[in-house]
């Protein structure tokens, strides 16, 4: 039971992307619907961040006035600025803090999109590694030197090499041997 903190995000979003792919049978359409769903999830967080930033920017003229009145007294500036924030009900860190939450979601989310064999085909890491190893032996030219995108390249050609993969990996599922359709509007 290996657990990573990013699994809190990658597992549910991987499940959602898999569900959308199997419903549409098209990776492009699934990604578009998926992007809309992620945007809907992030909208309240983005609204809260925007509200905090707007509150901060609304106070900018007043803060500049404090700085102009007390140019040589940074302690007084800080004291009056904090009082202003408190009186206006604006958090000094609220706007910035809410801006970082989408990043904490989007970075692991990129993994879901980059690893379609794990999150759409629901294959174990051992099986994915074995599929990539076998495909690199059979057709090394389909891969680049950057192994970061190996799953995407492998998922595109699994169907073409299904017989060889089934011989090399006896327990591989028929759904995995179908690969993933990366076509969208006639473009791969």
């Amino acid at each position: 039971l290996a657990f990573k903190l990013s699994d809190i995000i990658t597992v549910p979003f991987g499940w959602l992307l898999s569900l959308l792919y199997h419903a549409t049978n098209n990776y492009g359409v699934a990604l578009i619907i998926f992007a809309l769903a992620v945007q809907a999830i992030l909208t309240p967080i983005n609204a809260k961040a925007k509200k905090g930033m707007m509150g901060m920017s609304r106070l900018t003229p007043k803060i500049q006035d404090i700085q102009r009145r007390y140019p040589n007294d940074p302690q007084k500036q800080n004291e009056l600025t904090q009082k202003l924030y408190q009186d206006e009900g604006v958090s000094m860190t609220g706007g910035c803090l809410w801006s970082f939450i989408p990043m904490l979601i989007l970075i692991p989310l990129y993994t879901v999109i980059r690893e379609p064999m794990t999150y759409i085909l629901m294959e174990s890491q051992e099986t994915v590694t074995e599929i990539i190893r076998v495909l690199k032996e059979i057709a090394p030219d389909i891969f680049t030197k950057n192994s970061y995108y190996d799953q995407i390249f492998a998922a595109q050609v699994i169907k073409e090499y299904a017989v060889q993969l089934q011989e090399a990996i006896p327990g591989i599922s028929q759904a995995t041997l179908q690969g993933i359709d990366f076509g969208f509007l006639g473009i791969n």
Side-chain angles (χ1 to χ4, degrees), residues 102-135:
M103 290 305 293
L104 295 174
I105 294 172
L106 293 174
I107 290 171
L109 190 59
Y110 181 64
T111 302
V112 172
I113 295 168
R114 182 178 60 79
E115 297 180 0
M117 292 169 59
T118 302
Y119 294 102
I120 292 178
L121 298 178
M122 301 295 184
E123 282 295 345
S124 69
Q125 191 57 48
E126 295 81 23
T127 304
V128 169
T129 303
E130 189 64 16
I131 290 169
I132 291 170
R133 184 194 63 75
V134 169
L135 288 175

Side-chain angles (χ1 to χ4, degrees), residues 11-77:
V11 171
F13 281 166
W15 177 84
L16 176 61
L17 185 58
S18 175
L19 181 76
L20 293 172
Y21 175 76
H22 291 298
T24 62
N25 284 327
N26 188 295
Y27 193 66
V29 172
L31 278 179
I32 290 169
I33 297 169
F34 183 69
L36 293 172
V38 170
Q39 189 61 37
I41 291 167
L42 291 178
T43 296
I45 296 169
N46 289 335
K48 186 127 177 132
K50 191 67 134 177
K51 182 181 175 187
M53 286 188 277
M54 286 173 56
M56 297 279 280
S57 65
R58 184 173 39 94
L59 297 180
T60 301
K62 293 178 183 179
I63 293 170
Q64 289 172 344
D65 183 50
I66 291 170
Q67 291 170 344
R68 190 177 33 77
R69 285 188 292 155
Y70 302 98
N72 298 324
D73 192 355
Q75 187 174 355
K76 185 73 169 172
Q77 285 179 13

